[in-house]
Amino acid sequence: MEKFDVNILGCGSATPTLQHFPSTQVVNIREKLFMLDCGEGAQLQFRKSKLSFSRLNRIFITHLHGDHCFGLIGFISTLALLGRTGDLVIHAHADLEKLLRPQLDYFCRDNPFNVKIEPFAPEKNEVIYEDRSLTVSTIPLKHRIPCAGFLFREKEKEARLIKDMVEFYQIPIRDRVAIKQGADFVKEDGTVVPNAKLTKPADKARSYAYCSDTIYDEAIVPIIEGVDVLYHEATYTNNELPQATSRGHATAAQAAQIAKLANAGKLIIGHFSARYPDNRIFLREAQEIFPNTILANEGLCEKL
């Protein structure tokens, strides 16, 4: 199967610690890189993860709290130093334009590429990016300021041709696209070769949901139903549930409950509060509800 990896570059919350970097992830789909949030030190973590700066396609910012976007100006400056020339598109709340543009005009006025900010409405569930193999749609989240997660979903794939059968029946190139789309093959003498004899089922289309800062909200469940891997913030444990709710965050148990309701394949929890020196407390709490849970950690590469 072609590459679909989720790289964790940072999974801490707002208060800096020696344990974690702020929120940053990179989704690698067929060597095309998509950055999710951009906390401080993102360019350093990009290098540590051995990701290629030249393959960065777009950046998606969930919301405009500093631990999710303070790394942008440094990262953009690094791209310029490395010789990027192609435009960089950032999907974010419209306010990013007035916040980031003055920094770009001052620090990056000689950049060899343009930075384009494409705003989205965080309260809507809509497709904001699409190419021939992928869609990215927003997931409305409930935080203290407008916030949206992102759902990466592969498009349904065509069936795969069985090479030996193609050669045996000497199927012309002009007929192969139709066969991959489900057509039978008709030989010159009128004999019909069934499609099932010529193809293998397509690889399953994969999906990844990134749900950053949010309270517990079952409204997102229909949007992420059946997702292969779900990242859901788990800033607190249930012992601090009142504070989690008042601060616009979720607990590990709540993240697990969302994964369970959505029939997710796997849950990754992160955005850990600095008050917890041992993150295994989050894992124990989540696994009681959703056993297939793992902890986010810098350097983790989850392969879908």
Side-chain angles (χ1 to χ4, degrees):
M1 295 182 69
E2 295 179 285
K3 182 171 288 189
F4 193 142
D5 296 348
V6 176
N7 298 270
I8 307 295
L9 277 59
C11 58
S13 56
T15 304
T17 71
L18 296 177
Q19 192 174 8
H20 294 301
F21 278 72
S23 292
T24 310
Q25 296 187 12
V26 172
V27 179
N28 182 342
I29 300 178
R30 298 172 177 81
E31 299 301 341
K32 186 183 290 186
L33 305 186
F34 302 89
M35 178 177 279
L36 304 178
D37 286 332
C38 188
E40 293 173 272
Q43 66 268 54
L44 173 62
Q45 292 298 91
F46 212 88
R47 282 205 184 281
K48 283 185 176 180
S49 296
K50 297 182 179 179
L51 296 166
S52 172
F53 285 90
S54 65
R55 294 191 179 275
L56 178 67
N57 187 273
R58 290 170 182 246
I59 299 176
F60 296 82
I61 302 296
T62 58
H63 65 295
L64 300 181
H65 275 159
D67 55 320
H68 295 259
C69 63
F70 277 172
L72 279 171
I73 192 65
F75 192 86
I76 292 168
S77 298
T78 297
L79 291 177
L81 291 170
L82 292 174
R84 183 186 180 100
T85 56
D87 291 348
L88 176 66
V89 177
I90 304 175
H91 299 266
H93 187 280
D95 282 354
L96 183 64
E97 179 70 40
K98 64 183 181 183
L99 296 172
L100 184 62
R101 191 61 61 186
Q103 298 179 59
L104 293 171
D105 291 343
Y106 189 88
F107 293 108
C108 302
R109 54 184 174 270
D110 296 324
N111 265 14
F113 61 91
N114 295 318
V115 176
K116 298 181 178 180
I117 298 172
E118 292 192 1
F120 60 80
E123 72 278 6
K124 295 181 180 180
N125 168 223
E126 59 184 350
V127 174
I128 59 172
Y129 172 78
E130 183 174 8
D131 60 28
R132 63 183 181 86
S133 61
L134 172 74
T135 62
V136 182
S137 55
T138 47
I139 307 168
L141 301 176
K142 292 183 178 179
H143 193 42
R144 288 175 290 139
I145 63 173
C147 183
F150 303 106
L151 175 61
F152 286 72
R153 189 181 296 280
E154 285 185 316
K155 294 180 178 179
E156 293 298 323
K157 304 173 184 178
E158 296 177 335
R160 292 177 294 164
L161 295 174
I162 300 174
K163 184 178 179 182
D164 290 345
M165 292 293 99
V166 170
E167 293 176 353
F168 179 79
Y169 289 106
Q170 298 181 331
I171 298 175
I173 293 175
R174 66 176 181 273
D175 295 327
R176 296 178 189 180
V177 172
I179 292 171
K180 288 194 288 185
Q181 295 173 347
D184 298 328
F185 176 58
V186 181
K187 298 169 63 176
E188 290 184 1
D189 63 3
T191 304
V192 176
V193 182
N195 183 271
K197 194 172 183 179
L198 304 172
T199 62
K200 295 179 180 179
D203 292 330
K204 177 181 176 293
R206 295 161 291 180
S207 56
Y208 174 63
Y210 175 66
C211 296
S212 67
D213 300 20
T214 183
I215 61 171
Y216 178 80
D217 182 17
E218 293 183 6
I220 71 172
V221 170
I223 299 173
I224 63 173
E225 173 71 31
V227 71
D228 291 300
V229 178
L230 166 65
Y231 173 91
H232 195 291
E233 75 122 283
T235 309
Y236 298 95
T237 66
N238 258 0
N239 290 335
E240 285 78 34
L241 179 57
Q243 182 168 350
T245 304
S246 67
R247 298 289 294 169
H249 290 293
T251 68
Q254 289 177 325
Q257 183 63 20
I258 291 292
K260 182 177 180 179
L261 292 173
N263 296 309
K266 178 179 283 190
L267 171 65
I268 303 174
I269 50 175
H271 200 266
F272 306 120
S273 169
R275 70 176 58 199
Y276 301 95
D278 186 351
N279 293 159
R280 287 175 295 182
I281 189 173
F282 295 103
L283 187 63
R284 290 192 293 269
E285 180 173 297
Q287 286 183 335
E288 288 182 2
I289 299 170
F290 192 80
N292 197 15
T293 301
I294 64 173
L295 292 173
N297 198 37
E298 285 74 7
L300 173 68
C301 179
E302 180 65 25
K303 298 180 182 297
L304 277 69

